[in-house]
Amino acid sequence: MTQSSTALPLDPAARRTAVVEALGVLGSGPEERFDRITRMTQEAFGVPLTFLNLVHHDVVTTQSTFGWQQGSSVPASEQFCATTVLTPEPMVIPDTTLDARFATTAAVAEHGIRFYAGAPLSMLDGTRVGTLCIMDAQPREFGADDVALLRDLARWAERELGHAIDRRRVRRVLESLAPEPVDVAEYTVTTASAQPDGGGGDVVDQRVAADGALHLTVGTVAAGRASALLASAVRGAVAARTDVPLERAVAGLEAQLAPDLSLAGAVATLVHARVDPGTGHVDVVDLGHGLAAVVRADGPVEELRSASLPVGLRPQGSDRTPVPVDLRSGDVLVLVSDGALALPGVDGLTDLARTAAGADGAVRALIDAAAPTLAATVTTVRRD
């Protein structure tokens, strides 16, 4: 007998509360990005009170206001906004004393509110989380043009609220991009990486294949605000091919990624290295990145440059030819991202490679000093 279960969906009120909490703005105090909206709404309509309210847990919290107390919360049952948030369209009450739903509420009977107009605020999934509203102590007429303007201002508020979720989502993606440590006998693998909160596009991956080979990837995706999300997709595609022969893995990677990158107007470059721990032999495949080097134990630095083009831009019929190199005891393989070359005090790949192969923590200190504005990654493999 097979048992199955289906999770029950959240009721609308619980879902609204969950999304409001996911915004991460409750209790955060005044924010100019929200205060600007309520201030301009007041100026647009010439009313004494404007509010950007969030509805959650049967209360209405004022996230931003012009003319009232910032951060105050009142029971939803006493608020116009608790009704507005239930409907997809703006709610207008020209004279609140004539509306049986609200005539006896504290807002009308005690505070003298005679006019209300509010527009619901919806997130991308359709959940209505609050309102942008205006109030007056005098009844008012509110025409179609006024409703349209209030709706436009509400869309602005929705974008600002949505950015909060976007930043949290990007932060989770950035955290997931950090590779897990790997343990390979007689080798020391280190990665120092940082990505800005706005969403850097560095790709970094390190893992051991079923045959014991060490696979390392460093790259960069340039796609504006979508860079971090696309970098996550690229890393996933790389990881899925860990146990596939190198040349076939690279061809499959390009076939999978090129259409998505083209659609997003993005450019991705990667360098991928496969290290045989037993022999120290390394095959390096470059996809337009060209930022790999070997620092020899006795001092010389060999840059593993290539003229290869980025992902999706390779001429049809051309190959990605692996560059072979052997690591001897004390040698260090260094893979870096574009941003790492912009670290303060770094003078090119050779200089950065020497720093990375030198004192422990030197590169980490450089990256920490540049964070959080710069995406930078440096991965090293030292044969002990």
Side-chain angles (χ1 to χ4, degrees):
M1 180 178 178
T2 301
Q3 294 182 337
S4 63
S5 62
T6 301
L8 295 175
L10 291 175
D11 66 74
R15 183 179 183 87
R16 180 180 307 113
T17 294
V19 175
V20 168
E21 290 177 349
L23 293 172
V25 297
L26 286 173
S28 61
E31 293 188 59
E32 174 58 24
R33 62 195 178 110
F34 296 133
D35 293 345
R36 186 182 306 117
I37 296 171
T38 52
R39 185 170 60 247
M40 292 190 69
T41 301
Q42 188 276 334
E43 292 173 356
F45 294 107
V47 291
L49 297 172
T50 62
F51 299 86
L52 193 165
N53 287 333
L54 298 175
V55 182
H56 61 106
H57 288 304
D58 293 325
V59 299
V60 176
T61 295
T62 298
Q63 188 64 32
S64 176
T65 181
F66 186 94
W68 197 255
Q69 182 179 353
Q70 178 84 26
S72 60
S73 295
V74 298
S77 59
E78 299 179 8
Q79 284 289 305
F80 307 102
C81 294
T83 300
T84 303
V85 81
L86 299 178
T87 63
E89 298 298 325
M91 183 175 76
V92 179
I93 308 174
D95 189 340
T96 60
T97 63
L98 302 179
D99 192 311
R101 296 172 299 174
F102 305 106
T104 60
T105 62
V108 178
E110 298 177 19
H111 299 293
I113 300 300
R114 294 290 302 277
F115 167 81
Y116 170 89
L121 304 177
S122 299
M123 296 296 91
L124 289 177
D125 69 344
T127 302
R128 291 186 289 273
V129 297
T131 67
L132 179 69
C133 66
I134 60 177
M135 302 183 196
D136 199 343
Q138 302 296 326
R140 293 175 61 121
E141 294 299 323
F142 208 69
D145 289 344
D146 295 317
V147 172
L149 177 56
L150 181 61
R151 186 185 287 114
D152 287 343
L153 290 164
R155 298 298 84 80
W156 179 14
E158 289 173 347
R159 287 195 297 272
E160 289 300 330
L161 286 169
H163 288 168
I165 285 183
D166 288 344
R167 284 196 297 272
R168 290 165 67 88
R169 183 160 64 103
V170 167
R171 173 45 52 194
R172 289 195 297 270
V173 168
L174 294 179
E175 290 170 351
S176 73
L177 289 174
E180 294 292 327
V182 293
D183 185 11
V184 181
E186 300 182 5
Y187 289 81
T188 302
V189 182
T190 64
T191 291
S193 183
Q195 309 237 35
D197 288 343
D202 277 6
V203 179
V204 53
D205 191 67
Q206 56 194 37
R207 61 190 65 235
V208 177
D211 63 0
L214 173 62
H215 288 251
L216 306 132
T217 305
V218 171
T220 301
V221 177
R225 291 183 60 196
S227 295
L229 302 179
L230 283 171
S232 179
V234 171
R235 184 190 177 200
V238 168
R241 291 171 171 79
T242 301
D243 295 312
V244 178
L246 195 57
E247 292 83 351
R248 186 153 59 90
V250 170
L253 182 71
E254 290 201 87
Q256 176 183 340
L257 294 176
D260 289 340
L261 292 170
S262 176
L263 187 64
V267 175
T269 64
L270 298 170
V271 59
H272 182 83
R274 179 190 181 278
V275 182
D276 182 338
T279 65
H281 181 76
V282 184
D283 283 316
V284 179
V285 179
D286 186 78
L287 290 80
H289 198 67
L291 296 178
V294 172
V295 182
R296 297 300 181 185
D298 57 353
V301 177
E302 301 172 16
E303 294 191 4
L304 307 178
R305 296 285 190 177
S306 86
S308 184
L309 293 174
V311 178
L313 299 182
R314 176 174 56 111
Q316 190 172 9
S318 63
D319 295 324
R320 301 282 193 187
T321 304
V323 175
V325 65
D326 292 301
L327 296 181
R328 299 181 293 271
S329 179
D331 291 348
V332 182
L333 173 67
V334 183
L335 310 177
V336 309
S337 69
D338 290 338
L341 295 183
L343 290 169
V346 171
D347 184 20
L349 177 59
T350 292
D351 178 56
L352 180 57
R354 284 202 178 99
T355 300
D360 289 344
V363 168
R364 178 77 266 172
L366 288 177
I367 289 177
D368 287 346
T373 59
L374 183 67
T377 299
V378 178
T379 292
T380 64
V381 181
R382 181 187 301 274
R383 187 172 186 184
D384 299 329

